[in-house]
Amino acid sequence: MKGIMWGAALSVATLGLGAAQAATLTFTVQNRITTSAITNSYLNACAPIIPGLASIPANSTSLTHQTDCGTTSAVHFDYTNGSKTCRFSLSSIYTPPNPILGTSAYWTPNGTATSRGSTSATCRATLTSIGTNGNYTWALSIQ
């Protein structure tokens, strides 16, 4: 019985299916509003964000946040100040190699920042660093 389990594990590892892929999304949020704090008003993430999102004082930048969900990391959240709201959406998606087509594996980063409040906000998502294995760093801002 043990030999059969070992053989199955060996087969999975040999095929490369047992290899773990991970993509850490790292980001900061800058509050460019000079008069008051912004607060997190919506969150949808594939894993916990560490440290958690918090209020950001006027003219300040948040701590560095991270989340990691493996082959598909994604986070969507809003920051609000009065009638201004920015929705930030970040993702890192792994596409495995396709031996039939002869394509290599690759990671695809995506980041958007969209004004959603009744008063137009200037929202930005800037990719600042491309790491290995789908690790991406973003600088986000609201004004």
Side-chain angles (χ1 to χ4, degrees):
M1 192 79 146
K2 287 182 183 177
I4 293 172
M5 284 195 242
W6 180 81
L10 179 62
S11 297
V12 170
T14 302
L15 292 173
L17 300 175
Q21 297 293 333
T24 301
L25 292 176
T26 303
F27 61 92
T28 58
V29 180
Q30 182 180 23
N31 178 4
R32 291 187 174 172
I33 297 171
T34 59
T35 56
S36 58
I38 57 174
T39 56
N40 175 247
S41 56
Y42 169 79
L43 173 63
N44 182 0
C46 60
I49 295 174
I50 300 175
L53 300 177
S55 177
I56 304 169
N59 227 17
S60 298
T61 302
S62 72
L63 298 171
T64 300
H65 301 283
Q66 290 189 333
T67 190
D68 185 343
C69 303
T71 58
T72 301
S73 289
V75 60
H76 311 279
F77 57 91
D78 291 353
Y79 264 97
T80 300
N81 174 275
S83 59
K84 289 183 176 183
T85 299
C86 286
R87 164 84 33 103
F88 299 104
S89 298
L90 306 174
S91 66
S92 180
I93 299 171
Y94 175 73
T95 302
N98 185 326
I100 295 170
L101 297 176
T103 58
S104 300
Y106 60 93
W107 291 90
T108 305
N110 189 36
T112 60
T114 308
S115 179
R116 297 176 53 88
S118 60
T119 301
S120 182
T122 301
C123 311
R124 289 194 172 93
T126 305
L127 182 62
T128 59
S129 174
I130 299 173
T132 59
N133 297 326
N135 298 324
Y136 298 104
T137 302
W138 295 87
L140 311 174
S141 68
I142 177 175
Q143 183 172 11

